[in-house]
Every structure is written in C-alpha cells, then in structure tokens.
C-alpha cells in the first residue's frame, strides 16, 4: 500500500526554524519531516494500543472500513482494563469482543485480569512489558497515553475511529504542535512527588493554557526523578490541554529499560533553541498540592485548604499514581495508623506486577490491617466505572488525574486530587490533612 | 456530504470547560449502541439543556470544549442525537479530532461565543468560513484545512480510510 507518511497534508505560512524539541524530532522521524507547527502530517505508528472502552467502537469502525488485517499484529496491544473484572453483562461483552479481535488478527499482546499473568492498567502495563522505548511514537485509544513521555517516547491519545484507522494503515494524521518547555526551578519540599510537579504546572497553565502544545519537562528535579514520578508527571500533561508531555530519558529510565532488555536506539536530544515557548515553574520548597473539584487545574497548597474537609473515601490508584512508589508513600502517610472511622480507603495497585511487589514488600498486609480494601488493577472508579463509585454528597480524595463534576460517581459528589502521602495521612485523619504536620 | 452545503440550526449555548465527562458520563461507556448513548447526552449539565438537543442543534461552547477523556462515545452520542455542528471559542484536541473524524463539523470562533445567544438561529458555511445569524450578523472563522475539509466532505475518517484501503486493494 502507498504510504502517506512523509506527505505534508497542509502547511502554514511562517519562517522555518531548524532547531527542534524532542517531540518534533520524533514526529519528523516518523514521516512529518520539516512540517511546521500548525501543519497537518501523516506519521507512522510504532505501537497502537486500545482498551475495552476505546476498542469497543474501534473494532466496529475497523470492520466497516473494510479492513481485513491489522498493519502489524506485533505492534498492536489490547488491554482490557476499564470495566474488568466485568461489572455487568455489557462489560463482559466488551472484554470478550476485544479478546476475540486479538485472536482473529493474531495479536499476541492481549492482557486481561485473571486471564494473563501480566495485566493491569494500560499505561502502567505497557512500560512494564518493555513495549515503550525512547523515540517511539505510540498511538493509544486513551487520553492518558501521554504517560509514555516518561520514557522519552511520544504517546498520543486518540478516539476510536483514529485508532481503527491506525490499526488498518499503521499511520495517523497529526497537527504539528508548538513546543513548550517547562523549566522546573529548585527542589520541592518533603512529602511531595511527581504528582505535585504536574499540579504546579497546572496551577500556572489552567485547564487549557497549553492547548495543542507538546510539553517538554526539564530541570534538575526532572533529571533526578524516579520512573514512577516521571510517569505521574507526564500522565497529567493533558489536563493542561496539551497534546503530550515528555522528558529526555535519565539514568533511572535507562536502568529500567536495561532491566527489561528494551533497545535504547540512538537517544534523541532536544535542541536548546527548539522551543516556541518556555514556562518557568518555581518548585523550590514546594509543599504538597491539592486540586479542588471540579477542575484538575484548580490547584492550591495543602495548607491553604480550609481545615476539616471530611472524607468519605480515599482512593489510591489509576494510571497516574498507582505505582509501587505510591503504595510506599501511602503507607508512610498512614504512619502505622488505621483508616479513620467513617472513611473508606480503596487501594488499586496499577498492575499485577505492582500487586506482587506490594505483597512481597509487606505493603499489602500493612494496608489491609489498617482497614484498606485492595481493588484489583483496573481503571475502576477513577472514571466512574465501578469498584468505588461515590454516592450523592460524598467527598473523596484521590491520587487520580481528574475531578470533573460526577467523575467518580454522583454529580453531587466531590473529588480532590493529591499525592499518595497526602492520601495516607488523610485516610488516617478522615479529613484532608497536611502530612507535614500530622 | 455534510460540509458541502451550509448547515443551519438553532443554538444551544453551553459554557466554558465543558469536558467529555459532562457530555457523556463514564458510567455509560459500556454502551455501544449510538441511540442508547444519545439518551444520556449532557444529562448532567447545569442548567438542564439535554431536552433541547435534537436534529439540527448547533452546540455553542466556550473555552476548551471537550477537554479530558478521549471517549469517542461522547461525539457519537451527539451525532446520534442529530447535532449538526459544534462551535466553540476553543476545542480540546482529541474531541476536535473525534468530531471531524465522525464527520461532525467543529468550528473555532471565539467572537461567536461572546456574541451569540441561546436559541439564536445560525447558518455555518465551512467553505467560506462564515457564521451567519438570522438577523444578518456575520462572524468569520478560519476555514478548515484542505485535509479536514476532505474528511468532512466524505463523512469522516472511517469512509476516508475505507477509500484508501479500497484503492490499495486495486493497486
């Protein structure tokens, strides 16, 4: 078949600049060439991923397109993670359809809780499986595909018809983004994590201040971040309206890749001048931050919240903050205390591998003894699906990425977003509290 | 051929930051039937607007229309409900893609967001990049790029891809 990648579909007027950021370099390598910001281009996909929710529509569109085979069965990943374990008959059908699609098209990368040893939430699972490598262009049927920026890969989220087309063609149309470099300055204070870095960014950009931009995170603090913290940072790039978020791989990433025998390729580095905008974010001595409902970008320091915000539920999990680091922070925040009467603590290890590690480390035993319930690795209640839905008037603190009206259940419920240490301290107190002072 | 002729419809005015959770709540994402999805469109939006959304409706929103989740079910539900076009001060990128991929015209026009009232009748002409109100007031917007115009003209990315695959089969 004739490929369209390498063909610029439209251009915009303006002087060409040859300095490029990391995102633009990755797009250029995948067929966008010298296309300038604002232009449309076809690019090739290294990996196409879909889940039980995006897949349900994508598989139907794929068939209606008259497609008979996927572009490359080895580069397609299917993850049943949103409504698993099946919450009802319709959900069971979604996961079943996804599995049968995989069987029909010879796709070995199918993952489902209870059916495969490795399973869990897509954006946590794919890197664990060694499927995410620096410089790759990964197309996912989920908005938080930007998480793969933690590894120097360009993860782009799409809807189902885009995914269906990418499955058939191995290509996708993109609008070339402007690049915004986020320069973190200083070192954050105690009890903070990757979550607080991205909340600090959102505090400045708001929910659409980085619309259509590719974010590239830099600064000493980013160079020193763990893989888990980098994933938390990149995961919520989209909450600023951005197309993607990415970091140049650091030693922690390179060790992670080596442990999983992932080829590094020739690592791309951004040019110093390859940015359309630079945003300085001062994080020196940063306190833990909290995003107030119903806007992930309505962020304030935890000590500026009114005291006594009682909690019906604390939820630790999802693709931004359900890692082993998060479970350790949760246990540290609990500090040997039990969950407060009147509060539920739901803990969702983001993958089976994290679940196993938490068992081996004794974290699970500590959490269950404290009164927590361990939920299997699923997107679950984060998007209002199942397993921890909020009733009318209930208030939750969650380590997830969205707190829109009704996001986790009833429209009159509330979700505050914060890191896992805040979650632990707050679960013990039964109200949102500052882990630095409890 | 939705974009070939101008689209006329009555405006239902929303707000800034209408995210896809508000357009279609997560609990409904296990539904695949478009008509069943359509029954839940904007049902949590305040003040209530859902009852007024039907064939020909032009949805007008402010900043960042369709932010958040990539759920194409949200756009599919709007299409199944008969919505004729989306106009917004700005769109979130995935929602914008999903709209044009499903053949639903999506027009960025900040001035219209400020000036157009709920219940106004608008005519959208993609080819000339104009929005015209029934009283004759005209706003302009950047006409879609040739590629996006192409997608809209054939009815969306599904048909566009089908044609590419068909051509590939013959060659």
């Amino acid at each position: 078949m004739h490929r369209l990648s390498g063909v610029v579909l439209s251009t915009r007027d303006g002087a060409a600049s040859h300095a490029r950021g990391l995102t633009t370099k990755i797009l250029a390598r995948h067929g966008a060439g010298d296309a300038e910001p604002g232009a449309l281009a076809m690019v090739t996909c290294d990996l196409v991923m879909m889940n039980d929710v995006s897949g349900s529509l994508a598989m139907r569109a794929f068939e209606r397109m008259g497609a008979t085979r996927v572009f490359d069965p080895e580069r397609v990943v299917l993850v049943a993670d949103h409504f698993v374990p099946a919450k009802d008959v319709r959900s069971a059908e979604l996961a079943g359809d996804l599995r049968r699609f995989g069987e029909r098209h010879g796709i070995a990368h199918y993952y489902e809780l209870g059916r495969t040893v490795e399973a869990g939430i897509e954006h946590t699972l794919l890197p664990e499986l060694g499927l995410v490598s620096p410089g790759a262009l990964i197309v996912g049927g989920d908005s938080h595909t930007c998480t793969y920026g933690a590894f120097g890969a360009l993860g782009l989220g799409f809807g189902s018809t885009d995914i269906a087309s990418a499955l058939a063609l191995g290509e996708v149309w993109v609008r070339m983004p402007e690049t915004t470099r986020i320069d973190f300055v200083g070192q954050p204070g105690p009890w903070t994590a990757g979550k607080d870095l991205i909340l600090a960014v959102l505090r400045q950009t708001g929910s659409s201040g980085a619309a259509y931009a590719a974010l590239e995170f830099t600064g000493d603090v980013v160079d020193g971040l763990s893989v888990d913290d980098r994933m938390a940072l990149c995961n919520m790039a989209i909450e600023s309206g951005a197309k993607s978020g990415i970091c140049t791989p650091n030693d922690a990433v390179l060790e992670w890749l080596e442990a999983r025998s992932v080829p590094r390729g020739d690592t791309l580095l951004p040019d110093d001048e390859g940015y359309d905008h630079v945003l300085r974010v001062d994080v020196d001595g940063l306190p833990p931050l909290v995003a107030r409902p119903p806007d992930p970008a309505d962020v304030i320091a935890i000590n500026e919240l009114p005291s006594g915000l009682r909690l019906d539920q604390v939820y630790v999990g999802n693709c931004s903050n359900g890692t082993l680091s998060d479970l350790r922070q949760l246990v540290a925040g609990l500090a040997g205390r039990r969950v407060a009467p009147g509060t539920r603590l739901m803990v969702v290890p983001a993958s089976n591998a994290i679940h196993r590690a938490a068992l081996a480390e004794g974290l699970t035993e500590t959490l269950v003894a404290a009164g927590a319930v361990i939920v299997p690795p699923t997107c679950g209640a984060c998007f209002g699906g199942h397993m921890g839905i909020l009733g009318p008037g209930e208030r939750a603190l969650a380590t997830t990425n969205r707190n829109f009206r009704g996001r986790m259940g009833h429209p009159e419920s509330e979700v505050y977003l914060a890191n896992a240490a805040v979650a632990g301290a707050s679960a013990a107190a039964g109200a949102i509290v500052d882990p630095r002072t409890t | 051929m939705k974009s070939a002729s101008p689209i006329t419809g009555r405006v239902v005015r929303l707000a800034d930051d209408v995210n896809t959770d508000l357009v279609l709540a997560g609990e409904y994402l296990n539904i695949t039937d478009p008509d069943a999805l359509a029954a839940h469109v904007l049902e949590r939006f305040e003040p209530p607007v859902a009852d007024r959304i039907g064939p020909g409706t032009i949805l007008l929103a402010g900043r960042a229309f369709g932010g958040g989740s990539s759920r194409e079910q949200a756009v599919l539900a709007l299409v199944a409900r008969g919505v004729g076009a989306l106009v917004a001060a700005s769109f979130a990128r995935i929602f914008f893609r999903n709209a044009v991929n499903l053949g639903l015209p999506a027009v960025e026009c900040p001035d219209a967001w400020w000036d157009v009232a709920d219940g106004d009748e608008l005519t959208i002409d993609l080819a000339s990049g104009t929005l015209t109100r029934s009283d004759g007031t005209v706003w302009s917007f950047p006409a879609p790029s040739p590629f996006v115009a192409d997608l809209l003209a054939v009815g969306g990315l599904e048909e566009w891809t089908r044609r590419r695959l068909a051509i590939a089969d013959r060659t």
Side-chain angles (χ1 to χ4, degrees):
Chain A
M1 171 157 53
H2 298 292
R3 291 232 168 267
L4 283 185
S5 52
V7 177
V8 175
L9 301 169
S10 78
T11 55
R12 71 159 195 182
D13 298 330
S17 145
H18 291 289
R20 306 232 180 266
L22 191 51
T23 310
T24 311
K25 286 189 177 186
I26 294 172
L27 287 166
R29 279 202 175 184
H30 288 80
D34 290 333
E36 289 293 307
L40 305 184
M42 289 299 276
V43 292
T44 54
C45 315
D46 292 315
L47 205 63
V48 178
M49 183 273 295
M50 63 183 182
N51 58 50
D52 45 334
V53 162
S54 56
S56 70
L57 299 186
M59 290 180 287
R60 288 167 169 78
F62 181 85
E63 313 250 314
R64 289 193 301 265
M65 286 166 180
T68 52
R69 57 180 183 271
V70 298
F71 77 108
D72 182 350
E74 289 178 15
R75 289 194 281 160
V76 176
V77 186
L78 309 174
V79 186
D81 62 359
H82 275 61
F83 284 114
V84 294
K87 86 155 187 163
D88 55 20
V89 173
R90 280 201 304 252
S91 309
E93 287 174 343
L94 297 191
D97 286 348
L98 193 67
R99 179 170 53 81
R100 285 184 287 275
F101 182 86
E103 287 166 358
R104 201 154 58 244
H105 294 285
I107 298 164
H109 289 300
Y110 174 82
Y111 303 96
E112 180 190 344
L113 284 182
R115 192 182 286 278
T116 53
V117 172
E118 302 306 337
I121 300 173
E122 51 200 350
H123 307 309
T124 309
L125 184 63
L126 264 60
E128 281 178 357
L129 294 167
L131 293 172
V132 176
S133 54
L137 196 158
I138 302 175
V139 164
D142 189 88
S143 61
H144 290 108
T145 305
C146 53
T147 310
Y148 310 136
F151 302 88
L154 180 58
L156 299 176
F158 293 97
S160 299
T161 304
D162 270 320
I163 293 299
S165 184
L167 286 173
L169 304 173
E171 297 180 336
V172 69
W173 70 274
V174 295
R175 181 180 190 269
M176 295 297 285
E178 294 196 337
T179 304
T180 299
R181 195 177 76 200
I182 307 284
D183 288 350
F184 289 108
V185 180
Q187 288 294 333
W191 299 100
T192 60
K195 184 67 144 203
D196 302 286
L197 294 177
I198 189 63
L199 290 178
V201 173
L202 292 168
R203 181 163 61 175
Q204 288 181 227
T205 61
S207 60
S208 60
Y212 286 90
L215 304 186
E216 303 199 0
F217 301 107
T218 64
D220 290 346
V221 62
V222 177
D223 293 341
L225 281 185
S226 71
V227 165
D228 289 349
D229 282 324
R230 285 183 155 222
M231 289 174 70
L233 170 63
C234 292
N235 177 275
M236 288 181 74
I238 185 159
E239 266 59 66
S240 68
K243 184 188 197 80
S244 56
I246 198 168
C247 316
T248 304
N250 65 354
D251 289 344
V253 167
L254 297 179
E255 281 167 30
W256 168 286
L257 296 172
E258 198 176 317
R260 287 159 185 81
S261 306
V262 182
R264 276 169 60 174
D266 46 336
T267 307
L268 293 171
L269 292 173
D271 298 329
D272 288 342
E273 302 299 321
Y275 298 91
D276 301 288
H277 313 280
V278 175
L279 179 68
R280 181 191 150 103
V281 179
D282 186 352
V283 293
D284 207 42
L286 188 75
L289 300 178
V290 178
R292 293 177 287 197
D295 180 1
D298 181 13
V299 172
I300 63 168
I302 191 162
N303 48 294
E304 291 169 12
L305 271 182
S307 62
L309 283 171
R310 302 282 315 159
L311 291 172
D312 298 287
Q313 181 162 304
V314 173
Y315 186 96
V316 176
N318 117 315
C319 56
S320 56
N321 288 96
T323 65
L324 193 62
S325 304
D326 293 304
L327 301 187
R328 288 174 183 152
Q329 288 162 26
L330 171 64
V331 167
L334 277 167
R337 294 168 294 175
R338 295 176 63 100
V339 178
T343 303
R344 301 182 294 268
L345 173 57
M346 328 284 292
V347 180
V348 193
S351 70
N352 281 353
I354 293 168
H355 199 164
R356 292 191 300 266
L359 281 167
E361 218 173 288
L363 298 171
T364 307
E365 191 178 350
T366 304
L367 289 168
V368 172
V373 61
I374 308 295
V375 176
T378 173
C379 304
C382 164
F383 74 106
H386 61 148
M387 301 229 181
I389 299 301
L390 299 174
E394 289 196 326
R395 182 184 295 131
L397 181 131
T399 65
T400 58
N401 36 32
R402 290 189 179 131
N403 57 357
F404 301 145
R405 180 176 150 84
R407 171 74 180 181
M408 291 184 82
H410 193 277
E412 302 304 326
S413 60
E414 289 185 333
V415 180
Y416 287 73
L417 307 177
N419 74 39
V422 172
S426 300
I432 303 180
V433 296
D434 187 341
R436 297 172 301 174
T437 56
T438 51
Chain B
M1 296 292 285
K2 285 183 181 174
S3 69
S5 51
I7 302 147
T8 297
R10 202 161 287 282
V11 167
V12 172
R13 200 180 144 91
L14 303 174
D16 284 323
D17 291 316
V18 177
N19 56 64
T20 48
D21 276 76
L22 274 180
V23 178
L24 187 82
E27 66 179 285
Y28 304 122
L29 296 180
N30 57 355
I31 302 174
T32 53
D33 173 48
D35 292 326
L37 288 166
H40 300 291
V41 155
L42 285 161
E43 70 179 13
R44 292 177 174 185
F45 187 82
E46 294 285 346
V49 291
D51 289 350
R52 295 194 287 124
I53 298 170
T57 296
I58 293 176
L59 286 180
L60 175 66
R63 181 188 62 221
F65 189 16
S69 163
S70 64
R71 60 189 67 167
E72 193 167 292
Q73 286 86 348
V75 177
L76 185 59
L78 293 173
V79 171
R81 194 70 170 250
V83 169
L86 309 177
V87 180
S90 67
F91 286 96
R93 67 166 268 279
I94 304 176
F95 186 70
F96 176 84
R97 295 182 67 97
N98 287 346
V100 300
N101 283 344
L102 290 184
L104 179 63
V107 166
E108 272 193 1
C109 186
D111 290 343
W113 165 243
W114 291 113
D115 299 342
V116 175
D118 193 59
D120 283 0
E121 190 180 282
L122 281 186
T123 297
I124 302 173
D125 186 354
L126 291 172
S128 64
T130 55
L131 281 172
T132 308
R133 191 161 58 191
S134 50
D135 67 359
T137 316
V138 177
W139 295 266
S140 59
F141 59 86
S145 66
F147 176 72
V148 170
D150 235 26
L151 281 185
L152 291 171
V154 301
L157 183 65
E158 187 178 302
E159 177 60 19
W160 185 89
T161 306
R162 197 188 66 75
R163 291 181 187 191
R164 261 192 78 189
L165 290 170
I167 292 166
D169 275 352
R170 288 200 302 271
T171 53

